[in-house]
């Protein structure tokens, strides 16, 4: 099976804060963008953040290695 990049679209409340976090804190590059959305290049994959002032990320949580995590989440596995 060939590996294919994935695309994930998520809401965000503030475009500028989200861009700053993904570029300055995590070191990723911004791809295409407009005033209401932007793409982040994440290890040859794409996450699109679209502004949604009404987004509410409330969900149940679970304990994993003494850290409380939301049931709905994603991440990149790194060494």
């Amino acid at each position: 099976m060939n590996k294919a990049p994935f695309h994930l679209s998520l809401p965000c409340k503030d475009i500028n804060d989200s861009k700053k976090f993904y570029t300055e804190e995590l070191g990723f590059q911004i791809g295409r963008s407009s005033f209401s959305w932007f793409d982040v290049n994440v290890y040859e994959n794409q996450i699109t953040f679209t502004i949604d002032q009404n987004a509410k990320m409330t969900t149940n949580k679970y304990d994993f290695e003494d850290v409380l995590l939301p049931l709905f989440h994603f991440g990149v596995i790194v060494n």
Side-chain angles (χ1 to χ4, degrees):
M1 174 194 291
N2 292 333
K3 290 186 178 183
F6 70 81
H7 168 85
L8 177 65
S9 180
L10 298 170
C12 71
K13 289 189 176 190
D14 187 295
I15 293 286
N16 293 324
D17 283 349
S18 296
K19 279 184 181 178
K20 183 177 179 179
F21 175 75
Y22 279 89
T23 57
E24 294 179 18
E25 297 294 323
L26 299 179
F28 295 124
Q29 297 291 316
I30 301 299
R32 300 175 302 156
S33 66
S34 79
F35 68 94
S36 63
W37 62 271
F38 69 97
D39 292 336
V40 179
N41 298 320
V42 180
Y43 301 112
E44 300 181 26
N45 299 289
Q46 183 183 73
I47 302 173
T48 299
F49 288 95
T50 304
I51 194 159
D52 181 356
Q53 294 294 331
N54 298 315
K56 294 181 182 161
M57 298 298 282
T58 57
T59 183
N60 292 328
K61 298 182 181 346
Y62 71 100
D63 185 33
F64 178 75
E65 296 180 355
D66 297 324
V67 176
L68 200 58
L69 296 171
L71 290 177
F72 175 75
H73 68 277
F74 75 96
V76 176
I77 299 170
V78 296
N79 293 332

